[in-house]
Amino acid sequence: AQSVSQHNHHVILSEAASLELGCNYSYGGTVNLFWYVQYPGQHLQLLLKYFSGDPLVKGIKGFEAEFIKSKFSFNLRKPSVQWSDTAEYFCAVTSGSARQLTFGSGTQLTVLP
Amino acid sequence: GAVVSQHPSRVICKSGTSVKIECRSLDFQATTMFWYRQFPKQSLMLMATSNEGSKATYEQGVEKDKFLINHASLTLSTLTVTSAHPEDSSFYICSARDTRGASGEQYFGPGTRLTVT
């Protein structure tokens, strides 16, 4: 069975700091990878996704993620965070023929003004 | 973009009663919808996969007789929590898979907060 690990449970940064949130998955075959964001009181929104091709994926709001197959990782990055980036971030994966998303435990990002 | 709605957004019910939650895809058809449960400060846990016109597929440990799922049309799936108990209090989220695109991206509803007293 596939699983997703997010090792950072809570990250606190000051505005303009750089961000990197870790995501590792366990599955040996073909995977589709996602990052979702959940702003306070709002529903999940897709930040970016990787299916194939260029392993460096650019998403909305200045976020990007890099798929490193050898490390089974899909870390999320942003060069300069803003206060409005305060939210919960979830990494998720589908694998093989499975249509279901498996979510990581989430990382709460707090950006201090 | 694709929109998924849930109704109600918040419901409080007494122990022993049943609650129905609706999930609708507003501007696309979804042969597959998913139901998740999210506990405070935790991740989303997949409960079941709802397939239009057929029985839902439940994840291990989810009681299918307690969480009844019906997917009667391409735009509507319902989750009924039967004989609810306080431990069923949670945030229930649905998502709908857009069948138009090759990626089959999932779009999430805003969630339903269930409180059982």
Side-chain angles (χ1 to χ4, degrees):
Chain A
Q2 63 200 30
S3 65
V4 181
S5 298
Q6 291 181 246
H7 304 295
N8 311 108
H9 296 294
H10 193 182
V11 173
I12 302 174
L13 296 172
S14 297
E15 275 196 317
S18 64
L19 169 72
E20 180 160 2
L21 300 182
C23 173
N24 289 90
Y25 64 92
S26 65
Y27 184 74
T30 302
V31 292
N32 300 321
L33 297 154
F34 306 80
W35 274 99
Y36 286 89
V37 60
Q38 189 173 30
Y39 296 102
Q42 296 189 28
H43 61 278
L44 279 168
Q45 300 174 42
L46 181 67
L47 269 181
L48 47 80
K49 61 186 177 185
Y50 171 81
F51 282 78
S52 63
D54 189 344
L56 184 61
V57 179
K58 294 191 183 299
I60 60 172
K61 305 187 181 186
F63 287 91
E64 65 178 31
E66 185 174 13
F67 170 51
I68 303 180
K69 189 174 182 179
S70 61
K71 295 185 178 180
F72 297 90
S73 70
F74 190 56
N75 292 355
L76 181 71
R77 299 194 293 250
K78 185 171 184 178
S80 176
V81 295
Q82 300 173 316
W83 176 79
S84 57
D85 292 324
T86 294
E88 186 96 22
Y89 292 81
F90 294 95
C91 182
V93 61
T94 62
S95 59
S97 60
R99 297 169 297 172
Q100 305 97 317
L101 281 166
T102 299
F103 282 87
S105 55
T107 298
Q108 174 65 48
L109 171 66
T110 301
V111 180
L112 303 175
Chain B
V3 177
V4 174
S5 70
Q6 278 185 245
H7 178 79
S9 58
R10 194 180 289 266
V11 57
I12 300 172
C13 70
K14 292 186 177 181
S15 187
T17 62
S18 295
V19 174
K20 180 186 283 187
I21 302 170
E22 292 185 348
C23 177
R24 293 182 184 271
S25 57
L26 298 185
D27 51 0
F28 65 99
Q29 293 183 333
T31 55
T32 304
M33 292 184 174
F34 302 90
W35 287 96
Y36 297 85
R37 187 172 177 175
Q38 186 179 28
F39 291 100
K41 300 191 183 300
Q42 294 189 31
S43 186
L44 284 76
M45 300 299 296
L46 180 65
M47 297 175 64
T49 302
S50 170
N51 301 297
E52 188 267 336
S54 64
K55 291 183 178 181
T57 303
Y58 290 82
E59 295 300 300
Q60 192 172 8
V62 178
E63 299 176 60
K64 61 181 180 181
D65 294 329
K66 180 169 186 64
F67 298 100
L68 301 178
I69 291 173
N70 183 279
H71 193 157
S73 77
L74 288 171
T75 59
L76 173 64
S77 175
T78 60
L79 168 68
T80 301
V81 182
T82 63
S83 187
H85 291 285
E87 58 265 29
D88 298 324
S89 298
S90 191
F91 196 53
Y92 292 88
I93 302 172
C94 75
S95 70
R97 182 181 166 94
D98 188 346
T99 55
R100 294 171 300 181
S103 66
E105 183 174 331
Q106 289 186 34
Y107 298 93
F108 286 82
T112 296
R113 173 78 58 195
L114 170 62
T115 303
V116 185
T117 60

